[in-house]
Amino acid sequence: LYGLWLENAINDTVKNQNNPDERLVFVNAWNEWAEGAYLEPDAKNGYAYLQSTYNALQKSTIANSKPKILVISNNIPKPDRSSGELRFVSILQILSEFWELDFCVAPSHAEYNSSDELIPFIKKIIDMGINVLPLKKEAFKEAIDSSIYAGGYFNLFWIAEEVMPLFKIAQPKAFTIVDSVDVHYAREETQAKLGEIKQSQVAETKKRELSVY
């Protein structure tokens, strides 16, 4: 009976408290023998109360839940269109094995990712067990204000440039990962040598990119 009560108390707390720092369950008590409230082993029950405590923790949603990461990208990846997007989907698949993922298109790109032709690609992401947030500008802000994330994954440096500062303010304890895909200013240096772009553009990209990393 004690084990069932504790399991229910843990699950109820996790459900109703978004902030991990406020997920507290109090058990009275460890060794109040005179009041009949104790968890310490005794001659009658042995380690039963401690075992029930362990079992409740193992069965609870908190033991079976994965830490959550917010993935922010410039688009819904289409793995059959380019090797870069296939790579990105592969990374999402690996991450989803260890983390609970919320996938969000950056506010500046949301309106460009709402066509019907993207539905099969959205379904592919959902089928991987990933939660795709609504394709609207407000989705990112709503997510970081209402959820607790262990980390943020930013696909491409200019996406991190756009939204990572807000993410860090709303999620100060979360880690951040910037997936550069490649070193963009190095690629632009080659283009500048070929006369395709100006050197000033390379310098500006380098400044922006390195400031994000």
Side-chain angles (χ1 to χ4, degrees), residues 42-113:
D42 63 10
K44 180 180 179 181
N45 298 307
Y47 290 87
Y49 286 119
L50 294 179
Q51 184 65 49
S52 293
T53 302
Y54 173 82
N55 292 343
L57 287 168
Q58 291 300 305
K59 292 179 182 178
S60 68
T61 55
I62 192 170
N64 296 311
S65 63
K66 300 177 182 177
K68 184 184 288 189
I69 292 179
L70 179 61
V71 177
I72 308 98
S73 179
N74 64 316
N75 68 345
I76 298 294
K78 301 174 282 295
D80 63 347
R81 304 290 175 87
S82 73
S83 59
E85 298 201 20
L86 176 60
R87 166 191 173 277
F88 183 37
V89 170
S90 298
I91 290 174
L92 292 178
Q93 192 160 18
I94 293 171
L95 289 174
S96 67
E97 294 179 11
F98 305 97
W99 306 84
E100 180 182 345
L101 302 185
D102 280 352
F103 182 93
C104 178
V105 174
S108 61
H109 288 70
E111 62 181 278
Y112 305 113
N113 285 269

Side-chain angles (χ1 to χ4, degrees), residues 74-81 85 105 109-126 132 135:
N74 64 316
N75 68 345
I76 298 294
K78 301 174 282 295
D80 63 347
R81 304 290 175 87
E85 298 201 20
V105 174
H109 288 70
E111 62 181 278
Y112 305 113
N113 285 269
S114 57
S115 65
D116 291 343
E117 70 172 19
L118 292 174
I119 293 176
F121 300 106
I122 295 172
K123 185 177 183 300
K124 180 177 180 63
I125 298 174
I126 294 173
V132 178
L135 297 173

Side-chain angles (χ1 to χ4, degrees), residues 140-203:
F140 170 75
K141 186 68 165 53
E142 291 172 356
I144 62 175
D145 287 343
S146 62
S147 298
I148 301 296
Y149 291 103
Y153 181 103
F154 305 89
N155 188 40
L156 301 168
F157 87 85
W158 59 84
I159 296 300
E161 183 180 54
E162 175 189 350
V163 297
M164 191 163 67
L166 290 175
F167 180 85
K168 287 184 174 181
I169 292 171
Q171 306 285 328
K173 296 182 179 180
F175 63 81
T176 54
I177 298 173
V178 180
D179 185 352
S180 65
V181 181
D182 65 4
V183 181
H184 296 271
Y185 73 83
R187 176 164 42 81
E188 287 187 355
E189 283 179 345
T190 301
Q191 292 177 284
K193 289 178 182 178
L194 296 173
E196 297 176 357
I197 61 175
K198 295 181 178 180
Q199 190 63 43
S200 59
Q201 179 178 330
V202 179

